[in-house]
Amino acid sequence: MTQLIRVEDLRVVAGDEGSEVEIVKGVSFSLEKGEVLALIGESGSGKTTIALALLGYARRGCRLSGGVVQVGEHDMLALSEKQLQGLRGNRVSYIAQSAAAAFNPAKKLIDQVVEGALIHGLGTRAELQAKAIGLFRDLALPNPERIGRRYPHQVSGGQLQRVMAAMALISDPLLVVLDEPTTALDVTTQIDVLRAFKRVVRERGATAVYVSHDLAVVAQMADQIVVLNGGQILEQSATAPLLKTPAHEYTRSLLAAARPDTTIRPPSGIAEDVPLLTISGLTAGYGNKNMQGMPAIRVLEDIDLTVRRGQAIGVIGESGSGKSTLARVVAGLLTPAIGGLTFDGQPLGGSLSERTPEQFRRIQMVFQNADTALNPMHSVATILSRPLKMYFGLKGAALQARIGELLDLVRLPRTLAERRPNELSGGQKQRVNLARALAAKPDLILCDEVTSALDTVVGAAILELLRDLRQQLGVSYLFISHDISTVRALCDDIVVMYSGHKVQAGSRQSFAEPPFHPYTDLLIHSVPELRQGWLESCGTTCATLPPIGERANVPELCTFLNRCPVRVDGLCNRTAPNRRTLDNGGEILCHHDSAQLLNTQQGVTTMTLGAYA
């Protein structure tokens, strides 16, 4: 083995000259050729700053102030900008977190994949296009010969992430930096992307640095792990011993935060047996409506749901399942085509104009991305004052006192009141986002993926805050997520959505062990475990089946038909499933009963048509 990467006493400072603050403090590590090293830590730990230093790059307002960064024979801190430009995208490549932001929407994928290699003179266009197609095939992209002709918006998020990996690998770089490449993906899509990344990295002998906040993810990829906090290395070890016996308390906290359902429990005895929100026969979508009033694109179909006062219901499913559309309907941002809503015993209009001011106040929404939900030009105090003035007419000392109370409620120091969102951390911004919703004193809060953009430690803290607020205020939640662990940590009941349909519903306890709807089983077994080798043994791939999310060709049949590993020809492809009750009290939309599902989900037998004759 040959040492390929050497980082020694790396230091990075931020701020203006004379008032600089050191944000990376003497970090050192090395990699052998073909190894994968993970940099892990919560937001602000310095992991991305260190990863970018491997490209000889520092973000605006930062400066590489000292140390050695050796990549092969190149000292990245001693090179000129022109020399660095010759290495970036050539000998050192970077895979960003957001593939959507990394591509030009006006250019075809194949042109963007080969562009950097063409600039560096690594081959002719024809040679590089052939190489790109080979990478598409290695990365398990569908129709590798043709997918490059598409534009970025014409492929899924997981596919675009793999195309970006092809862009990074086409130059056969000495080092590949992967910066949170699966954080924005659903758990089901994440598995496919991780498998593709791991196979290509191993087969091509690539050396890689993988940046993440999730130990369960890096456990599948990394040979060694560096744990960072505050710009310093707290622990460094091979992956297996670090997962088994972490030496530092901070590493142990990361391990605990990786699975919040093992450390956080929803409060008991809070929910009352009184319906707060009732949804009946709901169908909704987008586009022009036909003569029957049905939208051109149906996103939700025949949804029934009841949220009791003080109850937390989790809604899970991958992107495109309809869960965020359900929240938009409840919030009055999308008018349903069919069906009705009732709130606290009164009809709830489908649009905001049909609702009373009191109904508007009592249903609030907390959005996924606080960066776009909070006005960057306003201070925290101004953001919180708007609902207080609108709903309660507060002003003067009473207004300032209530702003202070709201900051106390979400556990933020009152000194943050005059700061703007860009001066806050991701977790602080999400707490302000929540405080704004609480300012209206709502009865129901719609939480749309409120922890998915946060690291595991901060996300776990937000979940604990939501649990405590529910205990303190008796507020109800409709909590939307794609992560079963997050939902089980907070909610009393869980609803599973697939392609606009409610395919399973039941208590949190009913989701603790089989039987499950086949799609629920897929979701649960797509959450990475904290052990090496899980990715190879999880068994959730159905390579011969269409991509997850693709609906059955016949809309009247089960929407999961094309993906279902236990579908029965002659039954599932001819007859629409009915809702049936499982032995654990849960409800599923499926032809199979508890015993039949248990047989497959516990690995006892394989389902055949004869079992249903």
Side-chain angles (χ1 to χ4, degrees):
M1 300 288 283
T2 304
Q3 189 181 87
L4 185 70
I5 310 298
R6 181 171 66 92
V7 176
E8 190 172 311
D9 197 30
L10 174 64
R11 297 179 183 275
V12 183
V13 295
D16 299 325
E17 192 173 347
S19 60
E20 291 178 327
V21 176
E22 197 168 55
I23 58 174
V24 174
K25 306 166 184 176
V27 166
S28 301
F29 59 83
S30 63
L31 281 88
E32 303 291 338
K33 181 174 173 55
E35 275 192 320
V36 178
L37 176 140
L39 299 175
I40 190 161
E42 58 189 297
S43 298
S45 62
K47 55 188 186 295
T48 295
T49 301
I50 295 167
L52 292 173
L54 294 169
L55 285 79
Y57 178 80
R59 287 179 287 195
R60 181 177 297 178
C62 299
R63 180 171 62 86
L64 303 172
S65 61
V68 175
V69 177
Q70 193 83 23
V71 178
E73 69 275 19
H74 308 289
D75 184 353
M76 305 299 287
L77 303 191
L79 299 179
S80 67
E81 184 61 30
K82 185 175 182 180
Q83 289 172 313
L84 288 170
Q85 288 175 2
L87 294 175
R88 294 171 187 156
N90 181 3
R91 309 311 292 139
V92 185
S93 293
Y94 182 75
I95 300 176
Q97 176 175 347
S98 175
F103 281 87
N104 185 331
K107 288 186 176 182
K108 292 180 180 179
L109 294 173
I110 191 74
D111 294 332
Q112 299 187 65
V113 168
V114 304
E115 182 179 22
L118 281 172
I119 291 171
H120 291 296
L122 301 180
T124 66
R125 179 175 290 274
E127 291 170 341
L128 292 171
Q129 286 183 345
K131 189 174 183 179
I133 291 171
L135 281 166
F136 293 162
R137 188 176 292 109
D138 290 345
L139 288 162
L141 283 161
N143 301 315
E145 290 80 13
R146 296 191 297 274
I147 194 169
R149 303 173 198 166
R150 299 183 185 180
Y151 291 90
H153 70 276
Q154 294 176 313
V155 299
S156 70
Q159 290 170 352
L160 197 59
Q161 205 75 27
R162 282 176 275 175
V163 172
M164 186 162 56
M167 185 191 300
L169 293 166
I170 197 168
S171 63
D172 296 317
L174 292 172
L175 174 67
V176 181
V177 176
L178 301 96
D179 191 0
E180 301 269 16
T182 64
T183 297
L185 303 178
D186 298 314
V187 288
T188 46
T189 307
Q190 177 178 254
I191 284 185
D192 291 336
V193 173
L194 285 175
R195 278 200 178 109
F197 282 176
K198 186 168 186 177
R199 183 178 63 254
V200 171
V201 166
R202 293 284 188 248
E203 289 177 356
R204 294 175 176 265
T207 306
V209 170
Y210 195 105
V211 175
S212 181
H213 61 258
D214 192 336
L215 268 169
V217 168
V218 301
Q220 313 313 315
M221 299 292 294
D223 301 299
Q224 55 176 308
I225 297 175
V226 172
V227 180
L228 296 155
N229 191 27
Q232 295 178 302
I233 293 179
L234 300 186
E235 184 168 357
Q236 183 173 357
S237 168
T239 299
L242 185 139
L243 295 175
K244 187 176 181 180
T245 54
H248 199 280
E249 178 60 34
Y250 178 71
T251 309
R252 290 193 285 272
S253 73
L254 288 178
L255 286 166
R259 292 292 166 262
D261 57 339
T262 64
T263 57
I264 301 172
R265 282 288 180 267
S268 58
I270 299 299
E272 303 174 19
D273 195 19
V274 178
L276 178 65
L277 172 71
T278 302
I279 301 171
S280 304
L282 175 67
T283 295
Y286 301 94
N288 296 328
K289 296 182 179 179
N290 60 21
M291 297 294 291
Q292 289 75 39
M294 299 300 293
I297 302 173
R298 298 187 199 179
V299 181
L300 298 171
E301 293 193 53
D302 194 27
I303 303 297
D304 293 319
L305 182 66
T306 298
V307 181
R308 294 178 286 129
R309 187 176 292 278
Q311 184 184 26
I313 289 187
V315 181
I316 64 170
E318 62 197 340
S319 297
S321 64
K323 56 190 189 297
S324 291
T325 300
L326 178 63
R328 288 174 59 83
V329 170
V330 176
L333 301 176
L334 178 66
T335 304
I338 299 176
L341 293 86
T342 303
F343 187 74
D344 202 13
Q346 300 296 318
L348 186 65
S351 65
L352 293 177
S353 61
E354 299 175 286
R355 298 185 180 184
T356 66
E358 189 66 1
Q359 288 175 332
F360 190 31
R361 176 189 69 79
R362 295 174 67 187
I363 301 175
Q364 295 292 313
M365 192 165 183
V366 180
F367 295 93
Q368 175 180 355
N369 192 340
D371 283 318
T372 56
L374 302 176
N375 190 324
M377 302 303 294
H378 290 170
S379 68
V380 170
T382 301
I383 290 168
L384 297 183
S385 69
R386 293 195 66 186
L388 295 174
K389 293 175 180 178
M390 179 189 301
Y391 294 123
F392 307 109
L394 295 183
K395 56 185 178 180
L399 176 64
Q400 296 306 313
R402 182 56 180 156
I403 290 172
E405 290 172 2
L406 287 169
L407 291 173
D408 293 343
L409 203 57
V410 296
R411 299 170 194 165
L412 284 175
R414 294 192 178 199
T415 53
L416 295 185
E418 296 309 317
R419 292 193 187 179
R420 294 183 179 182
N422 67 334
E423 300 176 87
L424 307 178
S425 70
Q428 289 172 331
K429 282 184 277 195
Q430 198 60 289
R431 288 171 188 262
V432 173
N433 208 6
L434 179 58
R436 180 173 59 181
L438 292 171
K441 295 186 177 179
D443 294 305
L444 174 66
I445 297 180
L446 312 172
C447 299
D448 190 5
E449 298 273 17
V450 295
T451 62
S452 64
L454 304 175
D455 63 61
T456 48
V457 173
V458 176
I462 294 294
L463 288 178
E464 288 187 4
L465 174 62
L466 288 168
R467 179 201 61 187
D468 293 346
L469 288 171
R470 183 177 158 219
Q471 177 95 43
Q472 183 178 347
L473 305 175
V475 66
S476 300
Y477 296 135
L478 191 64
F479 188 90
I480 291 164
S481 179
H482 63 257
D483 186 350
I484 185 68
S485 301
T486 300
V487 168
R488 281 193 296 217
L490 182 70
C491 300
D492 306 303
D493 293 323
I494 299 172
V495 171
V496 181
M497 301 280 295
Y498 182 82
S499 195
H501 290 72
K502 185 176 75 169
V503 297
Q504 182 166 358
S507 67
R508 180 173 58 88
Q509 290 77 13
S510 70
F511 283 78
E513 58 184 27
F516 306 117
H517 186 280
Y519 176 60
T520 307
D521 189 57
L522 175 66
L523 282 179
I524 290 172
H525 289 96
S526 295
V527 178
E529 295 179 11
L530 280 163
R531 61 179 176 86
Q532 285 186 298
W534 170 87
L535 189 62
E536 290 74 19
S537 63
C538 62
T540 58
T541 293
C542 298
T544 60
L545 299 176
I548 295 169
E550 185 168 323
R551 295 182 54 163
N553 294 328
V554 183
E556 291 76 18
L557 299 180
C558 172
T559 55
F560 194 56
L561 175 66
N562 286 1
R563 286 295 308 175
C564 185
V566 295
R567 67 187 187 277
V568 180
D569 290 338
L571 176 64
C572 297
N573 59 347
R574 292 184 181 177
T575 309
N578 294 318
R579 298 198 177 276
R580 61 168 72 223
T581 302
L582 299 174
D583 292 344
N584 59 19
E587 177 192 81
I588 62 169
L589 183 64
C590 190
H591 286 292
H592 305 311
D593 62 22
S594 293
Q596 293 158 345
L597 290 171
L598 274 172
N599 281 342
T600 60
Q601 291 165 7
Q602 293 181 339
V604 178
T605 63
T606 300
M607 290 194 174
T608 64
L609 179 58
Y612 303 92

